[in-house]
Amino acid sequence: MLPRSLFPLRYTGFFSAGDRADGTAILQYANGDLYKGQFRATQRDGHGMLMFNGGGCYDGSFVRDAMTGVGELSGADGSLFKGMLVDGKPHGDGHLTYANGNVFHGKWAFGARTDGPARMDYSDGASTHGKGRVDTYDGEWLSEKPHGRGEMIYADGGKYVGDWKEGGRSGTGYMTYASGDRFEGDWFQ
């Protein structure tokens, strides 16, 4: 049974035989959430937009009442996920823009970032959605930190290629500075 806050307050749309919601409609919930989109057999199914009362929105595919498929999910904090979702959680390939402007390009499993190859564009925070000064890390990740082999290209023109451990340069690698100077050797955190 649905929680009382999710019971529909108002439905504007079409019904098929048997009083089932079918087609395009607008549904306002008692908790203030608002859905505009497709219904099939009284469930959100097809393309729709769900606006959350507390802020944020989902615009994308619904399957049997769940946010499942390709979509965009924005949070009340200003974050924005674009990609695949399963039951309302990022799953598969996607891009997450954080409120501070950092953008993570990688894979998710049931709402959590996965370990392995991915890219992060780090903003300087001066503007939102990655439009400020940007450093870019492309390589291996472990526990949401650069870990393994990777490359960091800095906004000032510098570049480090080598080993990373728990988010820092550690192991064999080389750093080419914006001036053209180069250091190659072992790095320690």
Side-chain angles (χ1 to χ4, degrees):
M1 175 176 247
L2 287 173
R4 187 99 178 120
S5 65
L6 294 181
F7 276 96
L9 179 64
R10 181 184 346 201
Y11 173 84
T12 306
F14 298 98
F15 289 93
S16 65
D19 289 334
R20 290 177 169 244
D22 273 307
T24 303
I26 299 172
L27 180 62
Q28 184 175 2
Y29 295 94
N31 69 356
D33 291 354
L34 182 68
Y35 173 78
K36 296 179 182 182
Q38 298 292 309
F39 280 86
R40 188 170 298 126
T42 312
Q43 292 185 326
R44 297 171 297 187
D45 200 288
H47 183 266
M49 180 182 287
L50 179 59
M51 292 162 275
F52 305 108
N53 182 39
C57 176
Y58 173 72
D59 186 359
S61 296
F62 285 81
V63 176
R64 292 184 296 283
D65 227 28
M67 295 181 291
T68 297
V70 176
E72 294 184 8
L73 179 62
S74 64
D77 64 355
S79 62
L80 176 64
F81 175 81
K82 295 180 181 182
M84 293 295 298
L85 290 100
V86 172
D87 291 330
K89 296 177 181 172
H91 189 78
D93 293 324
H95 309 280
L96 177 60
T97 303
Y98 294 91
N100 67 2
N102 292 349
V103 183
F104 180 82
H105 311 267
K107 293 186 182 293
W108 279 258
F110 306 106
R113 287 176 25 188
T114 62
D115 296 335
R119 186 178 92 220
M120 176 77 91
D121 299 321
Y122 296 94
S123 173
D124 66 358
S127 62
T128 58
H129 301 295
K131 294 183 180 150
R133 192 187 119 205
V134 176
D135 297 334
T136 299
Y137 172 81
D138 197 348
E140 294 294 315
W141 291 77
L142 180 66
S143 301
E144 298 194 9
K145 294 179 181 175
H147 190 93
R149 195 81 177 154
E151 173 182 284
M152 178 75 87
I153 299 174
Y154 297 94
D156 68 1
K159 176 177 165 179
Y160 172 79
V161 177
D163 296 326
W164 294 77
K165 182 178 178 185
E166 298 177 356
R169 295 179 281 201
S170 184
T172 303
Y174 68 88
M175 177 74 193
T176 305
Y177 295 92
S179 65
D181 293 340
R182 180 179 161 124
F183 172 81
E184 186 168 351
D186 292 325
W187 297 80
F188 301 95
Q189 273 186 297

